[in-house]
């Protein structure tokens, strides 16, 4: 991590989610990329590493759980946050078992997501500091 | 009063018929008894004739002895026998069995003979007279015997004639009674069978769905028990119909339960969009230009519409419509709403959907809520069959030659095994752990109520197609 800019990837088939999160987190100085098609997002993940991935769970084409697994395979340091309208106890526990950073049911307050992302950021930063 | 009772009830008809048969048989028996009495009378007449003849022969033999030996004791011994003969003849005369003319003749002959014998016994005659009297005695005796014999034979003839009459009467009675009994039998069978046959016909019509109730009118006038039976059957039909509607409603609540969970999640998406947009708008409102603000407010309105649409779909489905509430139903629209209702389930199962609707709307007559229940059941089954993804194809078309609307709902799942196929519409038959086995049986009932038909085309490994047909509303 040459510069301390946090790279954030948002995958959600609801375009408004991507649009608003981009607006909010760009303002916080992050580099934000958004996708509504999870398969396109996967292609990008393969070429480029992100610090934090925020993904929806149920999407056409690819499941958020698959994205979680793939991201952990490609970049184990990346933190994955799942946001979903179909929050159920068993899917949440499955996600935690697979190593999700946090699991946020929709509808959520922006503040909530910001806090989680800040926690993820500090984790990412401390890890990179340790490396220095 | 009794007549109308007799003709309106099976009970009355039976009583009436049996009374008629009893009266006729009673009359026949009385006629037979009367004939027997008559025959007995005749037999006694024949017996008394036999006795008279016997006595006459005895008197004549005494007369012969007197003429040969002139022994008066012989004549005296005849007096008693002659008296007996007289009583018998008098008895015959009063009994009236023999025609009077003959008896009168014989009585005069008898008086002559009797007087002569008395004269001879009293001896108040001369020698010449005695010889004349003797000649007369033979002649009178002979005449009297002839007369008695002719009376006997004519009586026998009369008796034979009369007994022939009795035979004829018996035959006539049989000839009259047999057709009357046969007619009563035929009428009775028809009276009882006709209304029962009507009821059977109506029940068959009810089962085919051509009638909803058994009409009382045609049988009411001729069979009040049948009217009561029909009334009871109709009450039973009503109770069955009520139960059927309750079952449909209960099954619908279960379908609604499955759908509602999905809908609740589905609403989270527009809510989340609204919440995010509103928060950003609030934070950044001072940094935005008018168009940006307007764009975000527009987003909020669109998302509210989307949530409203989801809720409306659910409410449409959950609304308890009266089963009798039939309207024109646009099948394309109904399928579209149903897919909206099941959007979440479809998305969760990762199934692709293909919808083929014709340009012009296809309408049928029916209860849209119950029809939607059928589509929800079939589509949910299809989704469950495609747990690992697949394609849900829905096609609606009008088969105008048959005036029918056809809806095909196909999945690319594993298909239905042959052993399961024949049971899928049976109530409480299920292959799922959490199934009740009511979905398809209730759907079948609803389709039949809409005068439609439901067919399943499935081969193991080839997917399943449900083909529904309804009469078109033109």
């Amino acid at each position: 991590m040459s510069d301390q800019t946090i790279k954030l990837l948002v995958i959600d088939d609801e375009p408004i989610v991507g649009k608003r999160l981009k607006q909010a987190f760009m303002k916080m100085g992050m580099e934000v990329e958004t996708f509504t098609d999870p398969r396109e997002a996967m292609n990008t993940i393969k070429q480029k590493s992100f610090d934090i991935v925020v993904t929806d769970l149920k999407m056409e084409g690819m499941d958020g759980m698959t994205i979680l697994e793939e991201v952990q395979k490609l970049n184990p340091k990346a933190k994955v946050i799942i946001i979903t309208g179909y929050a159920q106890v068993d899917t949440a526990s499955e996600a935690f078992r697979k190593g999700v950073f946090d699991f946020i049911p929709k509808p959520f307050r922006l503040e909530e997501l910001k806090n989680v992302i800040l926690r993820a950021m500090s984790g990412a930063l401390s890890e990179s500091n340790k490396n220095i | 009063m009794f007549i109308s009772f007799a003709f309106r009830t099976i009970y009355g008809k039976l009583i009436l018929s049996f009374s008629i048969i009893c009266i006729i048989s009673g009359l026949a028996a009385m006629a037979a008894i009367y004939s027997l009495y008559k025959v007995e009378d005749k037999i006694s007449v024949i017996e008394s004739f036999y006795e008279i003849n016997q006595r006459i022969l005895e008197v004549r033999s005494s007369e012969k002895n007197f003429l040969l030996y002139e022994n008066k004791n012989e004549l005296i011994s005849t007096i008693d026998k002659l008296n007996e003969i007289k009583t018998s003849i008098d008895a015959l005369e009063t009994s009236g069995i023999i025609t009077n003319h003959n008896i009168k003749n014989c009585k005069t002959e008898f008086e002559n003979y009797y007087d002569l014998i008395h004269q001879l016994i009293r001896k108040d005659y001369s020698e010449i007279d005695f010889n004349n009297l003797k000649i007369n005695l033979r002649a009178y005796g002979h005449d009297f015997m002839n007369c008695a014999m002719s009376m006997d034979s004519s009586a026998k003839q009369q008796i034979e004639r009369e007994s022939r009459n009795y035979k004829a009467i018996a035959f006539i009675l049989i000839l009259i009674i047999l057709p009357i009994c046969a007619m009563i039998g035929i009428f009775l069978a028809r009276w009882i069978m006709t209304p029962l046959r009507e009821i059977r016909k109506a029940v068959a019509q009810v089962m085919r769905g051509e009638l909803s109730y058994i009409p009382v009118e045609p049988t009411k006038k001729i069979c009040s028990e049948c009217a009561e039976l029909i009334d009871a059957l109709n009450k039973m039909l009503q109770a069955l119909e009520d139960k059927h509607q309750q079952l449909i409603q209960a099954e619908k609540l279960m379908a609604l339960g499955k759908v509602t969970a999905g809908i609740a999640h589905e609403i989270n998406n527009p809510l989340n969009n609204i919440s995010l947009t509103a928060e950003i708008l609030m934070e950044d409102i001072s940094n935005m230009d008018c168009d940006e603000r307007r764009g975000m407010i527009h987003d909020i309105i669109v998302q509210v519409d989307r949530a409203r649409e989801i809720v409306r779909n659910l409410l449409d489905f959950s609304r308890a419509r009266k089963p009798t509430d039939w309207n024109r139903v646009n099948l394309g629209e109904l399928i579209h709403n149903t897919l909206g209702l099941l959007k979440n389930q479809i998305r969760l199962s990762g199934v692709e959907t293909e919808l083929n609707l014709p340009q012009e709307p296809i309408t049928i007559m029916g209860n849209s809520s119950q029809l939607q229940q059928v589509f929800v059941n079939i589509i949910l089954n299809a989704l469950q069959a495609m747990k690992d993804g697949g394609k849900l194809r829905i096609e609606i078309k009008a088969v105008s030659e048959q005036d029918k609307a056809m809806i095909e709902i196909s999945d690319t799942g594993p298909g239905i095994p042959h052993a399961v196929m024949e049971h899928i519409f049976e109530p409480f038959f299920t292959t799922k752990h959490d199934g009740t086995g009511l979905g398809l049986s209730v759907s079948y009932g609803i389709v039949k109520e809409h005068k439609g038909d439901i067919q399943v085309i499935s081969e193991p490994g080839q997917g399943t197609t449900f083909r529904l047909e309804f009469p078109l509303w033109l």
Side-chain angles (χ1 to χ4, degrees):
Chain A
M1 299 225 178
S2 51
D3 53 352
Q4 293 291 301
T5 318
I6 294 287
K7 290 193 215 74
L8 178 68
L9 175 68
V10 177
I11 313 165
D12 196 315
D13 56 1
E14 298 278 334
I16 289 180
V17 174
K19 247 184 348 192
R20 299 292 171 254
L21 293 187
K22 192 170 190 171
Q23 254 175 308
F25 291 106
M26 290 251 285
K27 225 174 62 182
M28 288 169 70
M30 294 183 196
E31 194 186 313
V32 184
E33 273 191 60
T34 64
F35 289 95
T36 51
D37 186 339
R39 281 162 295 199
E40 272 178 46
M42 273 316 294
N43 288 336
T44 316
I45 291 169
K46 279 173 187 157
Q47 289 152 20
K48 196 175 161 186
S49 74
F50 290 91
D51 300 302
I52 297 167
V53 178
V54 175
T55 177
D56 192 7
L57 192 59
K58 296 292 176 187
M59 289 172 291
E60 219 164 290
M62 195 180 279
D63 196 51
M65 222 58 97
T66 322
I67 290 173
L68 168 65
E69 286 163 12
E70 287 295 310
V71 168
Q72 283 183 329
K73 235 186 281 169
L74 292 167
N75 180 12
K77 275 191 248 165
K79 306 278 186 277
V80 179
I81 299 163
I82 288 178
I83 51 173
T84 179
Y86 312 108
Q88 274 169 334
V89 178
D90 49 347
T91 46
S93 54
E94 188 192 346
F96 280 114
R97 216 171 40 244
K98 284 182 174 159
V100 75
F101 184 78
D102 211 341
F103 188 97
I104 306 172
K106 282 181 186 176
F108 53 82
R109 298 299 294 264
L110 195 54
E111 201 57 36
E112 247 179 286
L113 183 62
K114 269 184 189 169
N115 286 338
V116 172
I117 284 179
L118 283 176
R119 271 202 289 125
M121 267 169 70
S122 65
L125 285 175
S126 64
E127 263 175 45
S128 52
N129 286 343
K130 255 185 247 162
N131 289 348
I132 296 165
Chain B
M1 184 63 192
F2 174 76
I3 296 292
S4 81
F5 168 75
F7 282 98
R8 288 175 114 183
T9 63
I10 292 179
Y11 179 72
K13 281 169 197 163
L14 284 175
I15 296 273
L16 183 70
S17 311
F18 280 105
S19 314
I20 292 174
I21 289 172
C22 279
I23 290 169
I24 290 174
S25 350
L27 286 176
M30 272 155 65
I33 290 167
Y34 176 74
S35 311
L36 275 178
Y37 270 117
K38 282 288 180 189
V39 169
E40 253 174 41
D41 281 353
K42 310 292 164 180
I43 288 168
S44 70
V45 168
I46 288 169
E47 273 170 4
S48 54
F49 269 114
Y50 176 76
E51 263 173 47
I52 290 170
N53 286 342
Q54 209 56 36
R55 295 282 169 272
I56 290 173
L57 285 176
E58 282 166 23
V59 170
R60 291 294 313 273
S61 92
S62 305
E63 174 209 303
K64 203 167 143 195
N65 287 339
F66 169 72
L67 290 177
L68 283 175
Y69 311 111
E70 296 195 7
N71 181 358
K72 272 193 192 159
N73 286 338
E74 289 285 350
L75 279 187
I76 292 164
S77 74
T78 63
I79 294 296
D80 280 348
K81 287 166 190 158
L82 284 172
N83 278 335
E84 268 179 49
I85 291 171
K86 188 175 162 24
T87 348
S88 293
I89 290 175
D90 282 346
L92 277 178
E93 193 186 15
T94 48
S95 77
I97 295 165
I98 312 300
T99 33
N100 282 345
H101 177 67
N102 264 346
I103 293 184
K104 274 205 180 103
N105 274 352
C106 279
K107 266 179 106 175
T108 5
E109 301 283 351
F110 175 79
E111 296 294 340
N112 292 340
Y113 187 56
Y114 190 74
D115 287 346
L116 196 60
I117 286 175
H118 270 275
Q119 250 179 326
L120 284 168
I121 291 171
R122 281 199 306 271
K123 279 200 248 168
D124 46 353
Y125 45 78
S126 60
E127 198 60 31
I128 306 143
D129 282 345
F130 180 63
N131 283 332
N132 280 338
L133 285 175
K134 277 206 294 192
I135 293 162
N136 278 349
L137 183 65
R138 280 198 76 156
Y140 283 6
H142 187 74
D143 283 351
F144 172 56
M145 199 171 77
N146 276 349
C147 172
M149 278 167 76
S150 85
M151 191 165 74
D152 182 14
S153 71
S154 85
K156 273 183 183 154
Q157 272 172 16
Q158 198 184 339
I159 286 166
E160 266 171 33
R161 210 165 46 238
E162 280 179 22
S163 65
R164 266 202 305 278
N165 282 349
Y166 293 139
K167 224 185 276 174
I169 287 171
F171 274 118
I172 289 168
L173 272 178
I174 288 175
L175 284 182
I176 293 171
I177 289 170
L178 276 185
I180 288 178
C181 287
M183 255 162 65
I184 286 175
I186 291 168
F187 276 117
L188 203 58
R190 193 173 293 169
W191 277 341
I192 295 172
M193 285 316 291
T194 308
L196 290 182
R197 217 174 283 136
E198 289 285 325
I199 293 173
R200 194 180 59 192
K201 223 189 287 169
V203 168
Q205 275 176 306
V206 169
M207 278 171 67
R208 284 198 300 272
E210 291 161 15
L211 278 179
S212 49
Y213 292 103
I214 304 168
V216 176
E217 277 315 312
T219 46
K220 202 175 181 177
K221 282 190 186 120
I222 51 169
C223 169
S224 65
E225 287 102 333
C226 300
E228 282 163 26
L229 176 67
I230 290 172
D231 202 39
L233 283 174
N234 279 340
K235 282 202 180 105
M236 188 183 75
L237 282 176
Q238 180 64 49
L240 279 177
E241 174 64 18
D242 289 349
K243 285 274 172 258
H244 180 58
Q245 292 304 336
Q246 281 172 14
L247 191 64
I248 290 179
Q249 199 56 36
E251 200 281 330
K252 186 175 173 173
L253 287 179
M254 285 187 273
L256 195 63
K258 286 183 207 160
V259 169
T260 308
I263 292 286
H265 288 306
E266 179 71 17
I267 284 176
N268 284 334
N269 276 322
L271 278 183
N272 191 56
N273 290 339
I274 292 164
S275 148
L276 279 180
T277 309
E279 276 187 281
I280 304 269
L281 188 60
M282 196 161 74
E283 268 182 24
D284 289 353
I285 195 152
S286 48
N287 304 330
M288 288 177 182
D289 60 29
C290 247
D291 279 349
E292 257 183 303
R293 290 178 205 160
R294 199 171 283 128
M296 290 182 79
I297 291 168
H298 179 256
D299 278 352
I300 291 177
I301 292 171
V302 169
Q303 293 303 311
V304 168
D305 283 346
R306 192 178 145 198
R308 184 167 49 211
E309 183 67 16
I310 293 166
V311 172
R312 187 189 60 78
N313 247 334
L314 181 64
L315 284 181
D316 268 359
F317 182 54
S318 67
R319 190 179 302 142
R321 283 225 181 80
K322 272 193 229 142
T324 49
D325 192 3
W326 278 39
N327 283 306
R328 290 176 71 119
V329 177
N330 182 338
L331 281 179
E333 207 177 283
L334 192 63
I335 286 284
H336 186 79
N337 290 343
T338 309
L339 286 177
L341 198 64
L342 299 174
K343 200 174 178 179
N344 175 55
Q345 269 89 350
I346 292 170
R347 192 139 65 144
L348 282 182
S349 55
V351 163
E352 223 182 300
T353 52
E354 183 192 321
L355 186 57
N356 293 322
L357 298 179
Q359 289 294 309
E360 63 279 8
I362 293 179
T363 47
I364 63 169
M365 197 62 185
N367 182 308
S368 60
S369 162
Q370 290 190 349
L371 288 170
Q372 190 169 32
Q373 192 175 344
V374 173
F375 298 144
V376 164
N377 276 326
I378 294 174
I379 294 172
L380 280 180
N381 278 345
L383 294 179
Q384 277 197 309
M386 298 187 286
K387 287 237 169 67
D388 306 319
K391 192 171 182 183
L392 175 72
R393 195 183 59 83
I394 300 176
E395 187 178 358
I396 304 178
K397 60 186 174 195
V399 188
S400 24
E401 310 92 69
Q402 297 173 335
D403 285 340
K404 275 183 177 156
M406 197 169 86
I407 303 124
E408 278 190 350
I409 301 173
S410 321
D411 64 49
T412 54
I416 302 170
H418 289 299
V420 171
M421 185 75 126
E422 52 191 299
H423 300 295
I424 59 169
F425 291 118
E426 286 173 13
F428 308 113
F429 178 84
T430 181
T431 55
K432 300 169 196 160
H433 295 298
D434 57 345
T436 58
L438 284 177
L440 283 182
S441 88
V442 163
S443 300
Y444 184 85
I446 293 174
V447 171
K448 283 288 164 193
E449 257 174 39
H450 283 77
K451 309 219 182 308
D453 198 17
I454 184 164
Q455 277 178 296
V456 193
I457 304 130
S458 181
E459 281 296 324
Q462 303 285 306
T464 305
T465 299
F466 276 82
R467 180 181 293 154
L468 291 94
E469 285 177 350
F470 295 101
L472 267 181
W473 179 258
L474 299 169

